[in-house]
Amino acid sequence: MNDAFAGAAFVPTDGLVAPDEPAVVDLRDQPGDPFVFVCEHASNRIPRTLGTLGLPPEALERHIAWDPGAAPLTLGLAARLGGPAILQRYSRLVIDCNRVPTLPDAITALSEDTAVPGNQNLDDAARQQRIDAIWTPFHDAVDQLIDARLAKGRPSLLVTLHSFTPVYRGISRPWHVGIISTGDRSLAEPMLAALRRDSTLVVGDDQPYSARDNVDYTIRRHAFDKGLPHVMIEVCNDLLRSPAEIAAWVDRLANALTESALAVGQSPTNATRTG
């Protein structure tokens, strides 16, 4: 399990997550403008009270449980460009914090081709316990951070980091990276333009996911609804298997984000262009 986190804690009190387990939210509120980095699927950890949700250990290493490589990518970008990073420390199989919690796939009984026994036939109380213990503290933390920045007049561009599996239900995906947007594409368009200048990259526009797949909850709630520029970045997880590969993507994305911030009238305070 991935628990290489340390930072400020937002701790639920309903008993699903024990006091000696990692807190739900890891907040690295470090200096820097204008970016706020968020990783909803940073870990494959499951609270002890839920066991393994009936799954074998190898299943919990797969993309169904988390976004491999997304956490170090998030932290690398925050270190390079400055600004806070917020990471969610429990598996998307417990509850997906990038979904409306009342949707069926927020606590999925079937992830890709894998049945999740511990998510079968949950009653309303069990679902609400997961919302209260994990989903709500996470989104409260993001709200508090962004609202505090806005109250101080600090610019805030929301960037969420994800990884995707190169084959989904037997279908290969050609993209190396995807840029996911809402109706506000002010940050997405310059990101697409910057990344597409690299002829070796296959860059997806609202691929492999889009708002039609209900994957835009975080960027919509915490940015679109507040009138803030935003983008959701998806990198193919087989390109994030080593520290060197992750460092290369940090470089690539940091350059594209710096250029895109300038396109919306913001100058990153800590940016150092590479390449």
Side-chain angles (χ1 to χ4, degrees):
M1 298 286 180
N2 180 356
D3 58 356
F5 298 104
F10 288 73
V11 182
T13 58
D14 75 338
L16 182 68
V17 178
D20 63 337
E21 291 185 283
V24 168
V25 177
D26 178 14
L27 169 59
R28 316 288 182 96
D29 192 9
Q30 58 198 17
D33 290 326
F35 297 111
V36 174
F37 296 99
V38 172
C39 187
E40 302 100 313
H41 305 146
S43 176
N44 56 2
R45 175 175 287 278
I46 296 174
R48 286 195 301 268
T49 54
L50 300 179
T52 65
L53 293 173
L55 294 169
E58 59 270 19
L60 299 179
E61 296 299 324
R62 293 171 48 206
H63 178 263
I64 64 170
W66 61 328
D67 281 358
L73 184 63
T74 302
L75 294 174
L77 283 167
R80 172 69 59 81
L81 296 175
I86 301 179
L87 300 96
Q88 200 283 108
R89 280 175 161 148
Y90 286 86
S91 173
R92 59 151 54 97
L93 293 175
V94 180
I95 187 166
D96 192 327
C97 286
N98 195 32
R99 299 290 190 278
V100 177
T102 54
L103 291 177
D105 64 347
I107 305 176
T108 186
L110 180 70
S111 186
E112 297 182 20
D113 57 354
T114 301
V116 185
N119 289 349
Q120 307 288 331
N121 303 313
L122 294 183
D123 61 24
D124 290 344
R127 295 184 68 89
Q128 190 63 47
Q129 184 186 42
R130 298 192 194 184
I131 294 170
D132 293 344
I134 293 174
W135 190 94
T136 296
F138 172 73
H139 286 290
D140 283 352
V142 181
D143 272 332
Q144 290 170 26
L145 176 71
I146 292 178
D147 289 350
R149 290 174 63 90
L150 296 180
K152 295 177 181 177
R154 295 178 64 183
S156 297
L157 310 183
L158 182 64
V159 180
T160 66
L161 281 304
H162 297 256
S163 69
F164 65 92
T165 180
V167 178
Y168 181 74
R169 292 182 173 174
I171 299 174
S172 294
R173 292 159 151 178
W175 308 282
H176 299 109
V177 60
I179 298 299
I180 317 303
S181 62
T182 64
D184 174 4
R185 291 174 59 86
S186 60
L187 202 60
E189 292 288 358
M191 281 293 295
L192 287 164
L195 291 168
R196 283 173 172 166
R197 283 200 296 273
D198 183 342
S199 62
T200 68
L201 292 181
V202 179
V203 181
D205 181 358
D206 281 335
Q207 296 286 356
Y209 304 105
S210 75
R212 294 185 299 275
D213 303 306
N214 299 314
V215 301
D216 63 335
Y217 182 82
T218 298
I219 55 174
R220 184 168 295 279
R221 169 174 169 169
H222 298 293
F224 181 84
D225 290 351
K226 297 178 180 180
L228 302 176
H230 52 275
V231 69
M232 174 177 165
I233 301 173
E234 292 266 4
V235 179
C236 187
N237 64 28
D238 68 353
L239 304 177
L240 299 172
R241 297 189 184 278
S242 71
E245 289 174 318
I246 291 167
W249 276 98
V250 168
D251 287 344
R252 181 180 288 119
L253 293 174
N255 288 340
L257 284 166
T258 298
E259 182 177 322
S260 300
L262 292 170
V264 297
Q266 298 296 332
S267 180
T269 55
N270 295 9
T272 301
R273 187 173 179 85
T274 62

